[in-house]
Amino acid sequence: MLKSARVIIAFGLISGVSLAAVIGWVTGFFGSIADTGAGVWNDFMGWTNSPLGWEHLLAGAGALLVPVIVLILIFAIADD
């Protein structure tokens, strides 16, 4: 009985995933996700290829500021 219950659950999962994939494909859900991802990627690549401006400097300062704050907090907690 346990063996057939596992088979029924496996078939149910396979059919559910297959049905979700077909519905996503028919409605164009996967295409819209791919378009969104491609748009974000293109915007990001355009931003990285743009000349160095204030946006890059502020983003770099913010990216460096967070680890420094975390390290200061770790040292403060470790030293009591």
Side-chain angles (χ1 to χ4, degrees):
M1 180 169 171
L2 185 64
K3 198 173 191 178
S4 77
R6 286 183 179 173
V7 170
I8 291 170
I9 290 171
F11 281 142
L13 287 175
I14 290 171
S15 62
V17 169
S18 299
L19 183 64
V22 168
I23 290 173
W25 177 59
V26 168
T27 59
F29 176 74
F30 296 129
S32 67
I33 294 295
D35 288 341
T36 302
V40 169
W41 180 255
N42 288 334
D43 291 344
F44 174 72
M45 292 307 292
W47 178 76
T48 58
N49 291 329
S50 67
L52 185 62
W54 285 107
E55 295 88 12
H56 283 87
L57 295 176
L58 292 176
L64 292 176
L65 189 63
V66 172
V68 169
I69 291 173
V70 170
L71 285 175
I72 290 171
L73 289 175
I74 290 171
F75 289 144
I77 292 170
D79 287 339
D80 286 331

